[in-house]
Amino acid sequence: NAGVTQTPKFQVLKTGQSMTLQCAQDMNHEYMSWYRQDPGMGLRLIHYSVGAGITDQGEVPNGYNVSRSTTEDFPLRLLSAAPSQTSVYFCASRSVNTEAFFGQGTRLTVV
Amino acid sequence: QQQVKQSPQSLIVQKGGISIINCAYENTAFDYFPWYQQFPGKGPALLIAIRPDVSEKKEGRFTISFNKSAKQFSLHIMDSQPGDSATYFCAASRASNTGKLIFGQGTTLQVKP
């Protein structure tokens, strides 16, 4: 039972590069979310989705894009990486009557 | 604007003691309040959660106390153990938008043997 799988686990980018963080869940959950975790700031919501084809912005959406073409996948795209996007990124999924399950995280460094 | 405020930022407790972490929220539309536990290098995992129709929920050594009028809720860890050493996050969401959890800043708990 894989749960929520994030890839890659670690990534170093140069300023201006783009990349996609992958997130997949095998629990058939409707809701998926992306958070970033920074010291002293908790987890802040970047984007979320309530179902395939439906996405919305969270607290800190600037510089990130998402799409949800399937129930299982919810990739996060960094369009032009900046040092301020150095963080640990977590993907989560849940259903109406379940808790939120988190992936193991992606540690991103932008130099 | 921080919709969920958590304190303290860090906490040191002796083994067997009580750990108390507090959270306050602003949005009265929130109606789901979970606590998450996170170990280094891992994602957060649900510890215990409460809805505002009850004032307290207990699961083993972990208790959530909820004060709707004050818009506050707290986590109590009884008989704290070194294995409880972790970062704890409170969160809140609206049932109509359950993909959107708003987290507090986190509390790093150290339980000394």
Side-chain angles (χ1 to χ4, degrees):
Chain A
N1 188 3
V4 179
T5 302
Q6 289 184 236
T7 56
K9 288 186 169 52
F10 301 94
Q11 183 70 50
V12 178
L13 286 180
K14 293 183 178 179
T15 298
Q17 286 185 317
S18 63
M19 80 159 294
T20 299
L21 280 63
Q22 302 291 344
C23 176
Q25 54 97 2
D26 61 359
M27 298 173 282
N28 201 33
H29 286 167
E30 306 96 308
Y31 308 106
M32 297 186 74
S33 311
W34 275 103
Y35 296 85
R36 60 177 288 173
Q37 182 175 15
D38 302 291
M41 304 192 74
L43 289 91
R44 291 181 292 169
L45 183 65
I46 304 171
H47 285 285
Y48 66 101
S49 170
V50 298
I54 306 170
T55 64
D56 204 350
Q57 296 181 352
E59 303 168 79
V60 288
N62 292 339
Y64 308 95
N65 272 0
V66 292
S67 60
R68 183 104 179 264
S69 56
T70 67
T71 299
E72 294 78 20
D73 300 297
F74 191 43
L76 178 72
R77 298 182 188 84
L78 279 70
L79 307 174
S80 177
S84 61
Q85 294 179 304
T86 293
S87 187
V88 182
Y89 292 85
F90 287 100
C91 177
S93 77
R94 67 177 294 190
S95 187
V96 173
N97 295 316
T98 73
E99 65 190 82
F101 292 87
F102 284 79
Q104 294 291 291
T106 295
R107 184 174 294 274
L108 175 69
T109 302
V110 182
V111 297
Chain B
Q1 181 184 8
Q2 187 71 36
Q3 295 191 56
V4 179
K5 296 183 179 180
Q6 183 173 345
S7 63
Q9 187 174 354
S10 63
L11 184 61
I12 300 174
V13 174
Q14 291 295 127
K15 178 182 176 181
I18 302 173
S19 304
I20 302 174
I21 305 170
N22 300 300
C23 281
Y25 63 97
E26 298 173 3
N27 190 339
T28 55
F30 289 151
D31 61 359
Y32 174 67
F33 303 91
W35 285 89
Y36 283 83
Q37 181 186 56
Q38 184 183 32
F39 293 104
K42 303 293 185 182
L46 180 70
L47 188 63
I48 186 173
I50 197 169
R51 295 191 185 273
D53 52 344
V54 296
S55 60
E56 185 175 283
K57 183 174 181 180
K58 183 176 181 179
E59 290 184 1
R61 297 184 294 109
F62 302 92
T63 300
I64 299 180
S65 297
F66 185 81
N67 186 330
K68 188 174 182 179
S69 61
K71 294 189 288 185
Q72 295 175 347
F73 57 110
S74 60
L75 175 69
H76 296 234
I77 306 174
M78 311 300 288
D79 187 25
S80 299
Q81 299 296 312
D84 297 330
S85 297
T87 300
Y88 293 81
F89 294 97
C90 62
S93 75
R94 298 168 60 177
S96 63
N97 198 345
T98 52
K100 191 176 177 181
L101 280 169
I102 305 300
F103 282 83
Q105 298 93 324
T107 297
T108 301
L109 171 66
Q110 182 183 357
V111 181
K112 291 192 170 182

